[in-house]
């Protein structure tokens, strides 16, 4: 109804233009359909992806190439081919007879791909000619190297928790492969930057490795990690400072004679701390040649559940006195 009204609203001149345009469009469409039914010969560039199944060689340049060829097909088929992206060929150079061109540059005959090009084009195309003679690429002997993995996992523990031994990577190294010149510049492979916040329990998992920007192959895409976390409590003890290796006829006085020690203890073993005597001592053997009048305060070997210990005064002054032998 609205179309009729709009047409009736046109002037006679405008009506003639609309009719003329309609028939012109019909005529052009019929002309185009007629032309697309003809057979044409044209040039196509078919993409080729080169790979190498020979594990001892590495393609450094020319892995992506184009094969220039002339084809014959109906206009309709040519139009559809150019309108839509077609998958190219993947070619294993190890399956072709190659020739050495220059240093590290090699090539193989483009005509050896004729059968596969025909299959790629389909039955509606006729392959007339392959323009180029040689498909060129560069290859180097594949070198390998073992490098350590550097962790970029950052762990922030929840309050009253602490991480033991840091982040452990399993394995801690990776094999890299590529051109020797590229490998010489790589000292380590890093993990992906990862933040683990408010950690309150041990965990296991995997993290991705960051591959170098150049064409270097990693034997692993990801690596396992291990994080051991324990709940802790802090205990302060006041201990008498003992003296080891003191001769029988020598007395020593220390100032101060007692010292405070702040212990970081695994909460699971807190009760065992009361049953174990931890000794704080100085060593008489350190007196010889001592000009400062101070001795370093040391702790006995700590049990595994004491994660850290901080002595309030790491040095004490001392005075020696001789005693009469009995």
């Amino acid at each position: 109804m609205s179309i009729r009204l709009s047409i009736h609203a046109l002037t006679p001149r405008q009506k003639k233009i609309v009719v003329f345009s309609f028939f012109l469009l019909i005529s052009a469409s019929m002309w185009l359909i007629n032309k697309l039914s003809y057979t044409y010969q044209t040039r196509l560039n078919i993409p080729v992806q080169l790979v190498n199944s020979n594990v001892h060689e590495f393609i450094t340049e020319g892995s992506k190439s184009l094969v220039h060829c002339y084809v014959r097909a109906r206009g309709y088929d040519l139009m559809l081919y150019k309108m839509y992206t077609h998958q190219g060929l993947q070619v294993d150079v190890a399956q072709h007879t190659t020739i050495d061109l220059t240093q590290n540059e090699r090539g193989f005959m483009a005509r050896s791909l004729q059968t596969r090009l025909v299959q790629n084009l389909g039955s509606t195309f006729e392959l007339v000619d392959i323009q180029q003679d040689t498909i060129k690429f560069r290859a180097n002997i594949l070198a390998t190297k073992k490098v350590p993995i550097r962790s970029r996992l950052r762990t922030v523990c929840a309050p009253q928790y602490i991480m033991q031994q840091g982040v452990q990577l399993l394995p801690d190294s990776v094999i890299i492969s590529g051109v020797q010149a590229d490998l010489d510049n790589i000292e380590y492979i890093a993990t992906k930057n990862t933040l683990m916040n408010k950690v309150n329990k041990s965990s296991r998992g995997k993290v991705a490795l960051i591959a170098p920007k150049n064409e270097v192959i990693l034997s692993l895409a990801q690596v396992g990690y291990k994080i051991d976390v324990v709940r802790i409590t802090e205990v302060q003890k006041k201990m008498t400072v003992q003296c080891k290796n003191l001769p029988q006829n020598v007395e020593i006085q220390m100032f101060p004679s007692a010292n405070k020690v702040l212990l970081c203890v695994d909460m699971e073993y807190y009760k065992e701390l009361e049953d174990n005597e931890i000794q704080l001592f100085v060593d008489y053997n350190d007196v010889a040649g001592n000009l400062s009048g101070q001795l370093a305060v040391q702790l006995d070997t700590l049990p595994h559940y004491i994660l850290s210990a901080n002595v309030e005064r790491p040095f004490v002054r001392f005075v020696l006195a001789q005693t009469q032998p009995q």
Side-chain angles (χ1 to χ4, degrees), residues 149-301:
I149 300 173
R150 183 171 294 182
S151 172
R152 287 186 179 170
L153 276 78
R154 192 160 65 91
T155 304
V156 179
C157 292
Q160 289 192 307
Y161 287 86
I162 191 171
M163 184 170 58
Q164 291 182 305
Q165 302 178 353
V167 177
Q168 301 176 60
L169 298 178
L170 306 168
D172 60 0
S173 59
V174 63
I175 303 295
I176 58 176
S177 307
V179 180
Q180 186 65 56
D182 292 337
L183 302 192
D184 290 341
N185 298 322
I186 300 175
E187 298 300 326
Y188 65 88
I189 296 295
T191 67
K192 183 180 178 181
N193 288 306
T194 305
L195 173 62
M196 304 178 69
N197 203 15
K198 296 182 180 180
V199 179
N200 59 7
K201 62 181 179 180
S202 299
S203 63
R204 309 287 186 272
K206 290 187 179 293
V207 61
L209 297 178
I210 301 176
K213 292 183 179 179
N214 47 21
E215 295 182 347
V216 173
I217 302 171
L218 306 183
S219 62
L220 298 170
Q222 56 184 5
V223 65
Y225 67 84
K226 176 183 176 183
I227 298 174
D228 289 329
V229 175
V230 296
R231 188 179 179 188
I232 61 168
T233 184
E234 290 185 338
V235 178
Q236 183 172 279
K237 281 181 170 289
K238 189 171 184 179
M239 303 179 187
T240 301
V241 181
Q242 308 292 330
C243 184
K244 285 189 175 182
N245 302 313
L246 184 68
Q248 291 184 356
N249 61 335
V250 175
E251 288 184 353
I252 186 171
Q253 291 183 346
M254 288 170 285
F255 306 95
S257 60
N259 212 330
K260 291 180 181 179
V261 181
L262 184 63
L263 303 173
C264 180
V265 183
D266 186 340
M267 194 69 174
E268 186 177 349
Y269 298 93
Y270 175 72
K271 291 184 179 180
E272 295 188 23
L273 181 65
E274 300 175 0
D275 301 328
N276 286 274
E277 185 65 30
I278 302 170
Q279 288 191 350
L280 199 63
F281 68 91
V282 296
D283 193 338
Y284 180 80
N285 294 331
D286 295 335
V287 172
N290 190 309
L291 302 178
S292 66
Q294 298 184 90
L295 291 174
V297 179
Q298 304 175 55
L299 277 164
D300 262 336
T301 302

Side-chain angles (χ1 to χ4, degrees), residues 49-68:
Q49 175 72 43
L50 300 183
V51 297
N52 194 355
S53 60
N54 184 348
V55 295
H56 301 295
E57 288 186 340
F58 187 73
I59 296 177
T60 56
E61 293 181 30
S63 59
K64 294 182 179 179
S65 183
L66 292 174
V67 176
H68 311 295

